[in-house]
Amino acid sequence: MSGKKLRVGIIGAGRIGRVHAESLAFRLPEAEIVAITDINGEAAQALAARCGIPRVAASIDEILGDKSIAAVLICTSTDTHADLIVRAAKAGKHIFCEKPIALELAKIDSALAAVKAAGVQLQVGFNRRFDSNFLRVRQAVASGEIGKPNLMHIISRDPAPPPMTFVRTSGGIFRDMMIHDFDMARYLMGEEVEEIYAAGGVLVEPAFKAEDDLDTAFVVLHFKSGAIGTIDNSRKAVFGYDQRVEILGSKGKIASENRFPNEVVVSGEKSVYTDLPLNFFMQRYTESFTLELQLFVQAVLEGKQTPVTGPDARVPVVMALAARKSYDEHRPVKLTEISS
Amino acid sequence: MSGKKLRVGIIGAGRIGRVHAESLAFRLPEAEIVAITDINGEAAQALAARCGIPRVAASIDEILGDKSIAAVLICTSTDTHADLIVRAAKAGKHIFCEKPIALELAKIDSALAAVKAAGVQLQVGFNRRFDSNFLRVRQAVASGEIGKPNLMHIISRDPAPPPMTFVRTSGGIFRDMMIHDFDMARYLMGEEVEEIYAAGGVLVEPAFKAEDDLDTAFVVLHFKSGAIGTIDNSRKAVFGYDQRVEILGSKGKIASENRFPNEVVVSGEKSVYTDLPLNFFMQRYTESFTLELQLFVQAVLEGKQTPVTGPDARVPVVMALAARKSYDEHRPVKLTEISS
Amino acid sequence: MSGKKLRVGIIGAGRIGRVHAESLAFRLPEAEIVAITDINGEAAQALAARCGIPRVAASIDEILGDKSIAAVLICTSTDTHADLIVRAAKAGKHIFCEKPIALELAKIDSALAAVKAAGVQLQVGFNRRFDSNFLRVRQAVASGEIGKPNLMHIISRDPAPPPMTFVRTSGGIFRDMMIHDFDMARYLMGEEVEEIYAAGGVLVEPAFKAEDDLDTAFVVLHFKSGAIGTIDNSRKAVFGYDQRVEILGSKGKIASENRFPNEVVVSGEKSVYTDLPLNFFMQRYTESFTLELQLFVQAVLEGKQTPVTGPDARVPVVMALAARKSYDEHRPVKLTEISS
Amino acid sequence: MSGKKLRVGIIGAGRIGRVHAESLAFRLPEAEIVAITDINGEAAQALAARCGIPRVAASIDEILGDKSIAAVLICTSTDTHADLIVRAAKAGKHIFCEKPIALELAKIDSALAAVKAAGVQLQVGFNRRFDSNFLRVRQAVASGEIGKPNLMHIISRDPAPPPMTFVRTSGGIFRDMMIHDFDMARYLMGEEVEEIYAAGGVLVEPAFKAEDDLDTAFVVLHFKSGAIGTIDNSRKAVFGYDQRVEILGSKGKIASENRFPNEVVVSGEKSVYTDLPLNFFMQRYTESFTLELQLFVQAVLEGKQTPVTGPDARVPVVMALAARKSYDEHRPVKLTEISS
């Protein structure tokens, strides 16, 4: 089996880089991490030690120049993604890149063009597609189990706002947070959105106002088939990570609940209660991070298309831009207004 | 206790008239049905026999002219409500009237003016307020149990579309069906809506198109506090009556589920399953019909304000008109555009 | 329909008498309460006023002597049941009697003999059979939905112990409390028990010791088919009335949960919680009290067998005696040791 | 960190050996598998390749003779456990051994004596203690969250019977299957059992009769405090692995449900349903297998007591023997009858 192992280089040893490195090292025998690099050399060293990565590269170029490396994982900050994709593509590497590729469409288009020109594979890190709940929902829609989907509601709320330093460079709630849900909407419904109406406000953390950002956002999605979808984002759900979806179809309804740390119910003197749901994405989506990488590795090894493609990387950004425009202009906005 | 009984006349012996007659006759000893009338004399006779009502009146005037009758229940078709309210008010009767008073604001205003002039009590039949689930949700908001409410979602779906003959005179989905949810939105949140954005379509029953009506409707409600609400209406949920609400507040979330005929779960060879939820409003809201009448009777006997007042009767119609306007013009519409 | 009304006399105006009187007066138009009597005349007067009962009889004999009365409800204390059944049967009345008929088999046998001799109908108040949950479980067993039932567990716990004055004359936990569950076991499984092993103790309220009674009791039931059943009784479940059953069959499992006052879930900062289940039998079994009477009235009017027959009245007492004997002798006891 | 790694040898490369090897190789960086052996050399080779184990030892002696190995995992068939423990203890290895150590007490006692004499650590594979549900239940009892525990019910059912060839050498349902639940009972309640009453039968698979074994077993446990516990075992639950527990305490109840592959609910035209629970122990108890090894590794590295000790290995076998004796003699049996 060793002959078929995918040789991988990792760029970025931060939080998400660590998640992916551990998946590759401990769960995915069909991949082998050859080298890792980070502008913070100590972080790269520590992760290499933990995951048995034989080499800490001094630079990104060192990784891109290593002919033995077939694929790279781009786990750096968002503003570097597009440029690194271009460089990696030119170096002939297959690419797994964290979402989003960029906050501006021009940059995304350049990156996608480079990928196409190089003929390499690209997968973007929309990990939620690989959560067992959303996979089951998607399967129900795709198989016709609930008939034609007509109304879809996504709830996606964080337990607490991120630091304002993060908010400042995040691109705003639509491009930073709701981007995952835009992808989920297209994926679950299996069709495209034509128009978006956005609402929102600063309802839970006044500091967002100074950043011209929102802590609460809500959009109505008009799908091409006439189906209606919604996404409900809040930066603060005191009980923990709130990640649910439900779809009403012509033959039934499907709904996914949050995931909890256990299945235990206590009946006390004042209430019947359970522990809180899993607190944040690291706990909730653990398995999805592994599965997305497994499918990436498999797609590259077998020369097949990855499960999250170029348009999958681009369309959610178009949707985010339309949503923000809708919010600013207080009217429904067609996606063709953003990108024809 | 007999000295304190409220003497009631019932106008209309159809489906809802029967529900109210049975509540009064069998559940509410503090009320006494004196007479009933209906344009269908046989229906009135049958209901009188069933509920022990001593007299079937030959006309509405006979009931309004009976000095011994203190209150009337108006259970006729919607187009007669406003006129009957005016006549009953002039006759000095306290009034319980089914929703809505009228489909046009001018008629509602005339009716409310007559009520005010006569100094009688009026309650409109927004029975869902008295469902044990929605009472509990309201209590959580009012008591601060979930903090300030920021995001509210109402799901309200019928098991199957009504006959097209009904649809034709119903006033459309916003005024016929969503009117209950408009009331619920104001009631649960304890605040007013400023602006509405509506979407919808004919997604489940093509016959609605010929009536210029929708079978699926969705609105975004912009509350004065900045909170955002939604209402999701469908004329067809194949699994039964789908009546839920959830609110995210600054200190927690509250959500109500559907009601089921039993609490039994079967684990079979292919799935773990339960029976379907209660099928329609007669099953689901049984207790609320009794409770709303009980509170009406009590309010009249004690000379207190009824729990569903004049503005409660009018505002949902304003909201319904704004919603339809928003749908037609495909833009958010302020309630002040409908009625300042 | 008035010609077919069942004319009923009620003996006993205590708590359960009131429940039955209200069901007959307000829910069951096919019955008519002719008279009521109680050793406490004021209680009888008050109930008559509330339920519109035209006559308060001065004595039981007055009721039994009224030729216009076709059926009596015996709602007095347990020690009087058997004797009243005999008297009512001799007077030719059909009989609805609260459980148990007596605490001793000889008395029960005399009563059943009198019923048989008189050719009247008898129904015993095992109301739980008519609860929507237990009806659904029974239906699943009877229809083969879960295959052959092999393991059955009944949980039946009160929210708090009764007063010790009640405990003293109750006949003990097996005859007073578990008697309902013995009936349920036979009813749900549709077969008879051969042998019982009992365990128990005074675990929650030390005062039971002085009464030679238990506050916690547990039995294993050996059914004739080889199936195994259990009953778990506690006089104290701090969260409320705990009434559940589950059965494992060869083709599946069926389980019923407690009933709650609403279907609302709150997600707070420390837990996800609901209100407590319905507190006690009056709330939980409301509908079953009405349904059992409805079926009694119907059976008598139509001359059919009532749904809870003579053996249904006797066997649970045999089981209770076997259970106590098993507890005392610390060994499994066959029912034939009690009554061949 | 490499200096603190626990060097481990694995004896047995069957199903459970593979589970443990993968945990050590992919999840537990603080351990290092030095060598593996199995009488089936190919199985050992394949597992070594998969998990990156550098050496396949030709014999158990080779592993026990390797001075660099500090601990061994005994993952062979039950009949070899006791002897291997003795040999490993004499070789000075810390020992993790699958349950049970032996089916006869004398063998267990010899093994425990050898462990004691050698001063090595021993942990027995009662993995369910480390399941997140049972950990939560144990915590509730230990912390007083539900007060004093008085009634405990364990449900533990397999999806389908094992092959009869396995049944023949398994030691019977009490020693093979219920042994886990006997451990769980002591662990969750935090106290010892004094007496056991057992019932059971061949209810789902007639082939068990020829093996003088049962496919359905039920025991009542009399705890020293007076608390009552039960265990319900069936070899066949058609809907999947049924692993639940509930405890009624003086201040509340705690109950754990099965674990499901997702949190998705579908409302269809005939029922509201979910997928079946996780099918068997490999899926349900995945995380517990890792956690038990992690705690073993940690205990050995830190020289602390392992979380499952000598008595934990012995008492469940005493209970199993008492249960079988109770079943055979059809009477409650004290544990002191088996081992004083």
Side-chain angles (χ1 to χ4, degrees), chain C residues 20-83:
Chain C
H20 291 321
E22 293 183 355
S23 282
L24 291 174
F26 301 138
R27 313 271 166 95
L28 298 173
E30 57 274 28
E32 184 184 349
I33 312 175
V34 177
I36 188 167
T37 190
D38 194 290
I39 48 174
N40 176 340
E42 278 182 38
Q45 285 290 357
L47 189 53
R50 170 159 178 79
C51 296
I53 302 171
R55 179 155 53 103
V56 173
S59 69
I60 292 169
D61 280 334
E62 185 183 327
I63 284 186
L64 296 180
D66 183 336
K67 297 294 179 197
S68 84
I69 291 177
V72 293
L73 268 55
I74 301 176
C75 307
T76 52
S77 61
T78 296
D79 58 328
T80 67
H81 290 175
D83 181 51

Side-chain angles (χ1 to χ4, degrees), chain A residues 46-58:
Chain A
L47 190 51
R50 169 160 177 78
C51 294
I53 302 172
R55 180 155 52 105
V56 174

Side-chain angles (χ1 to χ4, degrees), chain D residues 209-230:
Chain D
K209 275 184 192 153
E211 308 301 335
D212 188 30
D213 198 358
L214 311 170
D215 59 26
T216 305
F218 184 84
V219 299
V220 180
L221 308 173
H222 296 259
F223 286 92
K224 288 196 172 163
S225 71
I228 297 167
T230 69

